[in-house]
Amino acid sequence: MASTADIKNGVVLNIDGQLWSVIEFQHVKPGKGGAFVRTKLKNVVTGKVVDRTYNAGAKVDIENVDRRDFTYLYSDGDGYVFMDSTDYDQVTVPASVVGDAKNFMLENQPVTIALNNGNPLYVDLPASVVLEITYTEPGLQGDRSTGGTKPATVETGYEIQVPLFLETGTKVKVDTRTGEYLGRVND
């Protein structure tokens, strides 16, 4: 068991059987009364953010979370297979843990997986990825870059909104957190 003095940004706490990552913390010493620690916590699995206050010196349960580099290999139906970049062990991660990251993963793409006691918690992708548009309606004469947007399907099967002038076969940069189009990539 650790105390509130061990709380730092990025530390993962076990609260009532759930894992919470510390986003920010502040040690407060008011003029009257005892000191306390104000924290903002994010649920590792669901992403829910809550504020929680602890009395100074209170005991907290800190979990060991190991973030390791993996390479995405393939999907085997109900899970996704990744290879550890250091010892080449393969691990299958359930689709529920991968979540929306599946929309941006290509084979042989490097990712970071957070593990707790050997169990995968979440898959962390780079901030942006380059994907090729596999289908979009053709642009019309007069379509300009400052106009509207149209739907386009990328090579992972995910649909994004792109400017009207883009065509099938164009490589685009996509934000992995929001799924937004960031720009065209020239080879």
Side-chain angles (χ1 to χ4, degrees):
M1 282 296 233
S3 73
T4 54
D6 299 316
I7 293 179
K8 294 178 179 36
N9 288 346
V11 167
V12 177
L13 305 176
N14 185 340
I15 303 170
D16 300 328
Q18 294 187 0
L19 298 178
W20 297 83
S21 177
V22 177
I23 299 173
E24 61 185 59
F25 73 100
Q26 180 181 19
H27 186 83
V28 180
K29 176 85 172 89
K32 189 174 186 180
F36 59 92
V37 177
R38 186 178 295 138
T39 62
K40 185 177 279 190
L41 306 171
K42 179 178 179 184
N43 190 306
V44 170
V45 178
T46 64
K48 180 180 176 181
V49 177
V50 297
D51 292 326
R52 189 138 183 193
T53 303
Y54 295 96
N55 289 330
K59 299 295 181 199
V60 292
D61 191 7
I62 294 181
E63 285 288 326
N64 182 20
V65 174
D66 186 22
R67 291 172 178 82
R68 297 193 351 219
D69 293 330
F70 284 81
T71 302
Y72 170 59
L73 297 179
Y74 60 89
S75 168
D76 70 352
D78 60 342
Y80 295 83
V81 179
F82 296 88
M83 179 181 66
D84 192 326
S85 299
T86 54
D87 59 10
Y88 305 109
D89 282 347
Q90 291 186 6
V91 62
T92 301
V93 178
S96 60
V97 173
V98 173
D100 290 338
K102 70 180 183 298
N103 299 325
F104 310 106
M105 290 189 321
L106 294 174
E107 293 179 357
N108 299 319
Q109 178 179 355
V111 299
T112 302
I113 298 179
L115 301 164
N116 173 251
N117 299 329
N119 298 324
L121 299 174
Y122 59 87
V123 175
D124 202 11
L125 294 174
S128 65
V129 292
V130 175
L131 299 171
E132 185 175 328
I133 296 175
T134 56
Y135 176 77
T136 188
E137 296 291 330
L140 301 172
Q141 183 65 30
D143 288 343
R144 298 292 177 254
S145 62
T146 57
T149 60
K150 62 181 178 179
T153 304
V154 294
E155 56 191 308
T156 60
Y158 187 64
E159 190 173 278
I160 62 172
Q161 292 293 319
V162 298
L164 296 170
F165 64 88
L166 291 179
E167 300 172 356
T168 300
T170 305
K171 290 190 182 231
V172 294
K173 186 182 269 193
V174 180
D175 187 323
T176 58
R177 296 166 299 225
T178 62
E180 290 181 20
Y181 163 83
L182 295 175
R184 185 169 40 179
V185 176
N186 297 324
D187 289 336

